[in-house]
Amino acid sequence: MTGKSRGGSGAVSIKDVARHAGVSIATVSNALNRPELLSAATRGRVLSAIDQLGYVRSESARQLRAGRSRVLGLLVLDMGNPFFVDVARGAEDAAHAADVGVMLCNSGQDPAAEAMYLSLFAEHRVRGVLVTPTNVSGENLAAFRRRGIPYVYVDRVAADDEDSCSVSVDDVAGGELAVRHLLDRGHERIAFVTGPMSLAQCRDRLAGARSALSGAGLPEEALSVVETTTLDVTAGRDAGSRLLGLRERPTAVFCANDLLALGVLQAMFAAGVRVPEDIAIVGYDDIEFAAAAAVPLTSVRQPARQLGRKAAELLLAETSGQPGHTHERVVFQPELVVRRSTLRG
Ligand code: RIB
């Protein structure tokens, strides 16, 4: 018998499988959910019928019966950024250990896309969502919360949101590490190339940079800020060109992430400006391309995979059905990884 479709809906039904295997519908269900109740021969007959007919069980029907999905949603800011790939890998580490899958979506920093994906996750009744928010005011997440699906902030402190866990890195400390390193190398005219200040990560890294300046007795003006709309290599190249056009060119650049830093590095190369001899560069995230860059990049390392794993563990615990879950704010510490892009002489 071919795997052609059966039943009114056009899909192979559990009834078709039972008829084909010569067993009851309950036996088919046990073969899938409680195989220990069946003999090997009976289970084999059922699995063979499933394979021959091409039956796929209805996950939504299973969820309705079990009351819990086996899928977590993960909504990241930029799928093109290796940082979020590592976050996703960590989330999968924890989810797969619990026999749960991860549905990865990309908001591209667009609040409208964020709202669409949150709605999609709700329609699919995912078990919970891990999200790096784009939406400053948080109305997307407020609307999502009203639909009753738990979520955990990833890479963001849930400062004023008592209804969720969060996992993040102390970005203020990260900004301080970057600029203190440059100050220690004798730089006093530093630029900060950042994405939109609507992102808390960028605001916190700038706050840390300014704190390092203040700690060294330097005025805020010693740090010139170049803001971009996105945090990718193209925006970094554009920012690098703008830096080269400044009347007083900085001797060092701190970038809000490694993709921006790689773009600034490209702009310097194109203009014949030597790194680090003429200008030093520090990135943020320590993605794998930082070490592999033409001039290996000094970067503030975020434990991205641990972030993703911990966030998924918190969400799985919250949605385990066990009583007594209390929301946690987990904050990891950044680490400065020094490479050639800041070492003169
Ligand atoms: O998405 C922008 C940045 O925020 C990433 O590079 C990572 O640093 C995150 O914290």
Side-chain angles (χ1 to χ4, degrees):
M1 181 176 291
T2 62
K4 60 184 178 185
S5 62
R6 288 276 184 285
S9 67
V12 176
S13 71
I14 192 167
K15 193 182 293 180
D16 297 322
V17 174
R19 184 182 311 116
H20 187 81
V23 299
S24 70
I25 288 174
T27 300
V28 176
S29 176
N30 284 336
L32 294 170
N33 302 307
R34 302 184 65 191
E36 70 281 2
L37 299 180
L38 304 180
S39 69
T42 301
R43 186 163 192 273
R45 243 187 19 254
V46 173
L47 295 181
S48 169
I50 286 171
D51 185 47
Q52 286 170 23
L53 296 179
Y55 168 72
V56 177
R57 68 175 159 182
S58 162
E59 177 58 13
S60 52
R62 193 201 65 76
Q63 285 173 22
L64 287 174
R65 281 195 303 279
R68 204 168 62 218
S69 163
R70 288 178 49 238
V71 175
L72 298 183
L74 171 60
L75 182 51
V76 298
L77 273 178
D78 176 9
M79 194 100 82
N81 184 341
F83 168 81
F84 289 107
V85 172
D86 288 338
V87 167
R89 285 187 178 128
E92 283 196 317
D93 290 342
H96 291 177
D99 193 27
V100 171
V102 177
M103 190 187 291
L104 175 59
C105 294
N106 177 39
S107 66
Q109 285 182 227
D110 175 3
E114 179 182 74
M116 184 272 287
Y117 280 123
L118 288 173
S119 183
L120 200 62
F121 286 145
E123 286 161 24
H124 283 263
R125 300 302 301 164
V126 298
R127 181 160 164 174
V129 173
L130 305 168
V131 56
T132 304
T134 65
N135 198 281
V136 182
S137 60
E139 73 264 10
N140 284 340
L141 282 172
F144 186 69
R145 185 183 309 122
R146 290 194 289 274
R147 302 180 79 159
I149 301 180
Y151 58 88
V152 171
Y153 288 90
V154 184
D155 188 39
R156 173 71 59 74
V157 179
D160 53 357
D161 181 341
E162 297 304 316
D163 295 318
S164 67
C165 296
S166 68
V167 180
S168 59
V169 174
D170 182 343
D171 283 323
V172 174
E176 275 185 273
L177 278 175
V179 171
R180 194 174 304 125
H181 171 66
L182 293 170
L183 293 169
D184 291 347
R185 310 289 309 166
H187 296 283
E188 293 194 352
R189 215 172 41 254
I190 301 171
F192 177 54
V193 172
T194 178
M197 283 296 140
S198 59
L199 289 175
Q201 301 91 308
C202 297
R203 292 198 302 272
D204 288 350
R205 289 166 202 174
L206 174 57
R210 285 177 167 157
S211 170
L213 281 180
S214 159
L218 289 170
E220 254 188 42
E221 294 68 37
L223 184 81
S224 48
V225 179
V226 175
E227 190 170 340
T228 67
T229 52
T230 55
L231 289 105
D232 54 25
V233 173
T234 304
R237 271 201 302 273
D238 172 62
S241 303
R242 288 155 64 188
L243 289 174
L244 292 169
L246 292 178
R247 186 168 45 81
E248 280 211 317
R249 191 183 292 178
T251 63
V253 188
F254 166 35
C255 296
N257 77 357
D258 287 341
L259 297 181
L260 286 171
L262 293 172
V264 169
L265 185 63
Q266 285 181 0
M268 295 308 152
F269 273 14
V273 173
R274 297 172 303 163
V275 177
E277 295 77 4
D278 301 332
I279 192 164
I281 301 176
V282 178
Y284 204 103
D285 294 340
D286 197 27
I287 60 176
E288 63 181 313
F289 301 122
V295 177
L297 200 58
T298 292
S299 184
V300 178
R301 184 178 183 280
Q302 292 205 77
R305 192 154 187 164
Q306 286 172 274
L307 273 170
R309 186 182 307 121
K310 184 62 182 174
E313 287 169 353
L314 288 171
L315 187 56
L316 289 166
E318 182 175 352
T319 57
S320 65
Q322 299 303 318
H325 172 80
T326 51
H327 294 314
E328 290 185 48
R329 305 267 184 280
V330 177
V331 180
F332 287 95
Q333 288 308 309
E335 169 200 357
L336 182 70
V337 180
V338 180
R339 299 191 180 98
R340 194 147 55 84
S341 70
T342 57
L343 295 180
R344 267 188 308 203

